[in-house]
């Protein structure tokens, strides 16, 4: 068998760092959500770029698929070995290789998590802003083009990855980008790789833009009479140009779940969570302007979180929303939807989605990074009930179709993986074929994370 | 001949809009700078996407190269038909197709110039910020990944193009991107196309992010004792986090040329030109902080331009710098260099370049968008003197090598065209081969702007 031949070559090189133990395979064969399962034949833990090159060469020679693994938190089955093969687990490549405070850049290995990166940066006065809820790795985040609560201010991984080192399917190592703030020297391979979900190569180094820690930070949470009031307030806030650092929406069901989970006392109503970054006077001005706008939309119960601990508590609650919502239906599995629309269509998109979910039988709290026009519903399904699965799938498809009809996208930040392949044609038409042509040019044997994103 | 066959097909479709007149061919066969000449065999002026599809199909069928043409202001021979063929001049596709003020987006045809776009946007309270000196077209700017004076604040075309319609070499039409602020749905084809210099397809529509016209604007110009003082002031300003809208450097020679050309009175010293955008109080705060910093570096002769006319005069002077410098050596042609380095290495890069130029015999005033680490020298050459050409080429190559050594790029904004092909290997190594693989996948017959950017 191909995998046995590959193992015979990998074994001596990765003594103690390559495994076919069932527990290890199982750990790398599951994801947090309903998604095709995909257990690898082996898991290998490289420590250097040269080792990744060896893995690629050996797998290529033996026709064995290679699937990158960061923290495994992606939500569309991205990191599952749906065609078997070797999962390349990057947790032992997790160093900060260099920090350039004067250029506000750092270079990291892909396996470092965003929380640890920010701990290591703390003393420099800088931070890395992209913040998905999960404690994902920078490699995984680059590969899904992740964003999160702060993208409204600081952008997504598209904006914050300046360069990459990538091992291609044939073992060639390329470097994309430079340390200069901009370049016009040829095709933007960095941007092509960011969001490519490991289908074009294995990332071994990431150069990241950093931000100065804001002098002053202030956060707040407040309730709104109706879902439309909250969403209309978001639209007005964004259009008014207030430079929000975060503006997050939770519908009534999400608030109930989060408040219960975090032991916080919040009224049963839709809420917005916001944060402002800047100089002390700037933050105060922004907060006042936002407060006025929120007042126009009937906000109530404003709670300010000015102290660092209070803010941490607030964002911990938001970051645990997924777990909190999951716990609100014991025994359930989640299908997490993820659409993004132009800000002018957000109210329509959220309201229609809310009604659509309400008409069915599955709970589906709605929440999201609404400053970007991006929101999710966490559809809670009994995993033993195929009818619920089908209903959830149909709901998710209607959400995606609605987003496309409104000029948006089938995925704002989670990506395609195997879960959203069926929607790619509708979004891209012939451009989807162009993606496949690029894939074929760089990975003709289809060994890099096969079965993801591209037309089967 | 292939071109005759193509003309036989194009003629009836483009009656009066396809030409082989020598004057038209000559106009499309030259550029503003020293660059390989390249006269097309014909020029065609499409008015619709469908017409561009017809052109692509006819050229593909007959094996005839297709070269896009916007305003022809690119500086590395980008738009020259170095292998003959048909130049597709987009000046008759120059409409604003839609403006979405609530989403701060617009959709334009590629042939509209940035000045006219901003005129058309004026009443909306929005503007398009990317500002190369020349009155380039949005299609050309997208294709060179242009930037300019305001990129330090608003980013480059990479950041400001949200989507494209592209006619591929085989006549397929694809749409990239959506109107949502972000997406994770597959490879970022928008970013792949932006900066591709027409080598992957002809752009027929561009979706652009817009910005709110700032409430308050203030600009200033001031002199510094030495080149290092001015550049060190830029580095300190950027690192202090003051959100500059523009920060431009002119060395003594550039200042002399510009002042003479514009009839302004400026001391013979290196200068910085700056601009601040924001609320009235924000602009004042920024201007004060900058003023203090500039003072620390010995600035003198501060002139504020608060009135719109004064600012317009200041930026007109900056935008005409190229013409002004060219006029400073009558009869000369220019070779405009364009490197970009990490901000921490800017002082080194500029000082070494200045010394290098001073050692030679060719005048080469230095100026640039230094807030991005990007600067140019305009090397003034007697076109009849091959020794000067060789000296300029050698200087330009040393500038590029210096930029690479300092972690930068061979071109910050002008692009590769035919002029910088010889430097691509040094910057990209194996990644340059990956660019060629992508090109081959999408344009196997090499008909889209052949002879540019990729390995010959
Ligand atoms: C509770 C929760 C909240 C979330 N919230 C957000 C959110 O707000 N925003 C958001 O964007 N996402 C969110 N996600 C999704 C997830 O966190 C992101 O998709 C994240 O980017 C995945 O990172 P990871 O390290 O877990 O990558 P993995 O899941 O391990 O892998 C992701 C993809 O990248 C590939 N890959 C990983 N490392 C490499 C490498 N070095 N080289 C090549 N390919 C590689 C994998 O093969 C896979 O295709 C959330 C997930 C959870 C569970
Ligand atoms: C005085 C002066 C100052 C300048 N300052 C700057 C500056 O500050 N920053 C900067 O970035 N540049 C600057 N430039 C360079 C130039 O303005 C830019 O490169 C600009 O983007 C070119 O736009 P254009 O419309 O003239 O394109 P063209 O020169 O006509 O074409 C540029 C490239 O795009 C292709 N192309 C054009 N339209 C299409 C289309 N619709 N589809 C496919 N391909 C197409 C062409 O084939 C060519 O490869 C300056 C130039 C001059 C003369």
């Amino acid at each position: 068998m191909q995998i046995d031949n590959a193992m015979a070559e990998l074994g001596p090189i990765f003594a103690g760092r390559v495994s076919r133990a069932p527990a290890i395979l199982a750990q790398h064969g599951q994801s947090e959500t309903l998604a095709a399962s995909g257990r690898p034949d082996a898991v290998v833990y490289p420590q250097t770029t040269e080792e990744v090159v060896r893995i690629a060469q050996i797998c290529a020679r033996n026709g064995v698929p290679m699937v990158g693994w960061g923290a495994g938190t992606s939500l569309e089955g991205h990191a599952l070995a749906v065609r078997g093969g070797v999962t390349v687990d990057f947790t032992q490549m997790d160093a900060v290789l260099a920090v350039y405070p004067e250029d506000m850049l750092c270079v990291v290995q892909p396996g470092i998590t965003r929380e640890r990166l920010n701990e290591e940066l703390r003393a420099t006065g800088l931070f890395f802003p992209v913040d998905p809820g999960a404690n994902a790795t920078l490699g995984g985040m680059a590969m899904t083009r992740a964003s999160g609560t702060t993208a409204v201010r600081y952008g997504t991984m598209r904006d914050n990855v300046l360069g990459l080192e990538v091992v291609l399917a044939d073992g060639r190592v390329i470097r994309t980008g430079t340390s200069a703030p901009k370049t016009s020297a040829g095709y933007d391979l960095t941007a092509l790789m960011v969001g490519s979900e490991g289908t074009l190569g294995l990332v071994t180094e990431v150069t990241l833009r950093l931000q100065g820690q804001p002098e002053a930070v202030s956060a707040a949470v407040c309730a709104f009479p109706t879902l439309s009031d909250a969403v209309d307030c978001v639209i007005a806030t964004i259009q008014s140009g207030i430079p929000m650092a975060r503006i997050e929406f939770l519908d009534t069901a999400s608030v109930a779940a989060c408040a219960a989970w975090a032991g916080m006392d919040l009224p049963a109503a839709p809420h917005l969570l916001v944060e402002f970054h800047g100089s002390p006077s700037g933050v105060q001005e922004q907060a006042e302007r936002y407060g006025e706008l929120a007042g126009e939309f009937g906000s109530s119960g404003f709670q300010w979180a000015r102290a660092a601990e209070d803010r941490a508590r607030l964002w911990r609650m938001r970051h645990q929303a997924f777990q909190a919502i999951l716990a609100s239906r014991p025994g359930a599995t989640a299908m997490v939807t993820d659409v993004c629309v132009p800000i002018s269509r957000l109210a329509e998109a959220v309201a229609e989605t809310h009604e659509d979910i309400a008409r069915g039988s599955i709970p589906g709290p709605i929440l999201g990074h609404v400053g970007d026009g991006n929101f999710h519903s966490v559809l809670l399904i009994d995993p033993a009930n195929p009818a619920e699965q089908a209903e959830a799938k149909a709901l998710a498809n209607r959400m995606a179709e609605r987003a496309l009809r409104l000029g948006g996208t089938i995925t704002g930040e989670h990506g395609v993986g195997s879960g959203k392949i069926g929607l790619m044609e509708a979004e891209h038409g012939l451009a989807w074929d162009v993606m496949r042509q690029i894939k074929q040019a760089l990975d003709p044997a289809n060994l890099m994370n096969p079965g993801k994103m591209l037309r089967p």
Side-chain angles (χ1 to χ4, degrees), chain A:
Chain A
M1 280 246 314
Q2 295 170 311
I3 181 69
D4 296 324
N5 296 339
M7 281 300 290
E9 294 192 60
L10 290 168
I13 304 172
F14 293 93
R17 288 188 284 125
V18 58
S19 174
R20 303 191 71 175
I24 300 283
L25 303 186
Q27 180 210 334
H28 292 83
Q30 66 191 15
S31 84
E32 313 235 6
T33 52
L34 259 192
S37 68
R39 191 178 277 228
D41 297 307
V43 177
V44 60
Y45 299 84
Q47 292 175 338
T48 63
T49 300
E50 291 62 42
E51 288 187 352
V52 177
V53 170
R54 299 296 289 275
I55 294 168
Q57 288 168 337
I58 292 168
C59 287
R61 197 154 47 229
N62 293 289
V64 168
M66 296 161 253
V67 185
W69 183 275
T73 67
S74 49
L75 295 169
E76 296 292 346
H78 294 72
L80 301 183
V82 293
R83 307 220 180 138
V86 173
T87 290
V88 185
D89 184 321
F90 283 94
T91 41
Q92 295 187 23
M93 284 180 74
D94 66 343
V96 176
L97 298 175
V99 181
Y100 302 102
E102 293 192 328
D103 294 312
M104 298 175 77
L105 296 179
C106 70
V107 183
V108 302
Q109 287 187 310
I112 190 167
T113 63
R114 65 170 182 86
E115 287 180 8
R116 200 161 68 68
L117 174 60
N118 278 325
E119 278 158 29
E120 300 220 2
L121 290 173
R122 189 154 305 146
T124 63
L126 300 168
F127 77 111
F128 182 71
V130 183
D131 167 47
N135 190 18
T137 65
L138 271 298
M141 288 164 63
M143 288 297 95
T144 63
R145 206 182 293 126
S147 50
T149 59
T150 59
V152 63
R153 170 75 169 251
Y154 300 106
T156 73
M157 291 303 279
R158 180 189 203 269
D159 309 296
N160 289 289
V161 174
L162 199 62
L164 295 168
E165 182 183 76
V166 185
V167 177
L168 301 177
D170 55 11
R172 278 180 298 167
V173 182
I174 62 166
R175 301 190 74 92
T176 73
T178 74
S179 298
K182 66 184 188 186
T183 170
S184 282
Y187 301 153
D188 189 342
L189 297 182
T190 305
L192 177 66
M193 291 290 166
V194 170
S196 64
E197 304 188 355
T199 61
L200 297 177
L202 294 165
V203 171
T204 48
E205 223 179 272
V206 192
T207 301
L208 299 167
R209 280 181 212 276
L210 303 175
Q211 297 288 332
Q213 288 167 16
E215 219 186 319
V217 179
S218 183
V221 55
C222 67
F224 289 84
T226 67
L227 182 146
S228 305
D229 289 317
V231 177
D232 287 339
C233 178
V234 172
I235 298 175
T237 306
I238 296 299
Q239 288 174 350
S240 76
I242 305 176
M244 311 301 290
R246 289 166 153 160
I247 182 160
E248 295 284 313
F249 168 75
L250 299 177
D251 74 356
T252 307
S254 300
V255 167
C258 289
W261 179 265
M264 283 175 87
D265 188 22
L266 293 171
H271 278 66
L272 292 181
L273 281 64
V274 295
E275 189 165 276
F276 310 97
H277 292 178
S279 65
S281 63
V283 161
Q284 193 177 330
E285 186 190 324
Q286 293 167 36
E288 277 166 17
R289 284 174 64 199
Y290 170 74
E292 282 165 27
L293 272 175
E296 289 172 24
F297 293 95
S299 72
S300 63
F302 245 99
Q303 294 182 31
W304 286 96
R306 288 192 191 82
E309 316 82 80
D310 295 339
R311 289 201 311 274
R313 203 160 140 255
L314 191 66
W315 295 115
R316 207 178 310 118
M317 176 188 85
R318 169 63 187 89
H319 282 149
Q320 293 175 351
F322 176 72
Q323 288 84 342
I325 291 171
L326 205 53
S328 73
R329 184 176 179 188
T333 322
M335 180 182 291
V336 187
T337 67
D338 167 46
V339 294
C340 189
V341 296
I343 201 82
S344 67
R345 315 307 292 270
L346 183 64
E348 219 170 321
V350 175
E352 284 184 27
T353 302
H354 188 74
E355 286 157 26
D356 198 3
I357 294 172
R359 272 192 297 273
S361 69
I362 303 172
I366 296 177
L367 74 177
H369 315 306
V370 280
D372 300 321
N374 184 203
F375 65 96
H376 314 293
S377 66
V378 183
L379 302 173
L380 295 170
I381 327 167
D382 174 356
N385 183 339
E388 288 201 357
Q389 279 195 34
E391 187 182 333
K393 194 83 198 156
L395 260 173
N397 285 343
R398 285 198 298 277
M399 275 184 77
E401 285 155 15
R402 186 175 300 125
L404 292 178
R405 175 165 50 77
L406 299 174
T409 173
I410 59 168
T411 170
E413 58 180 20
H414 293 168
V416 180
S418 51
K420 284 194 168 161
I421 290 184
L423 296 162
M424 287 290 278
E425 174 97 54
E427 176 155 338
H428 297 288
L430 288 176
W432 198 27
D433 294 336
V434 170
M435 296 183 199
R436 189 173 48 181
Q437 288 179 280
I438 293 169
K439 163 75 170 175
Q440 277 171 342
L442 298 185
D443 179 20
N446 195 19
L447 295 179
M448 284 289 170
N449 206 4
K452 308 297 165 59
M453 185 198 288
L454 300 148
R455 195 193 293 275

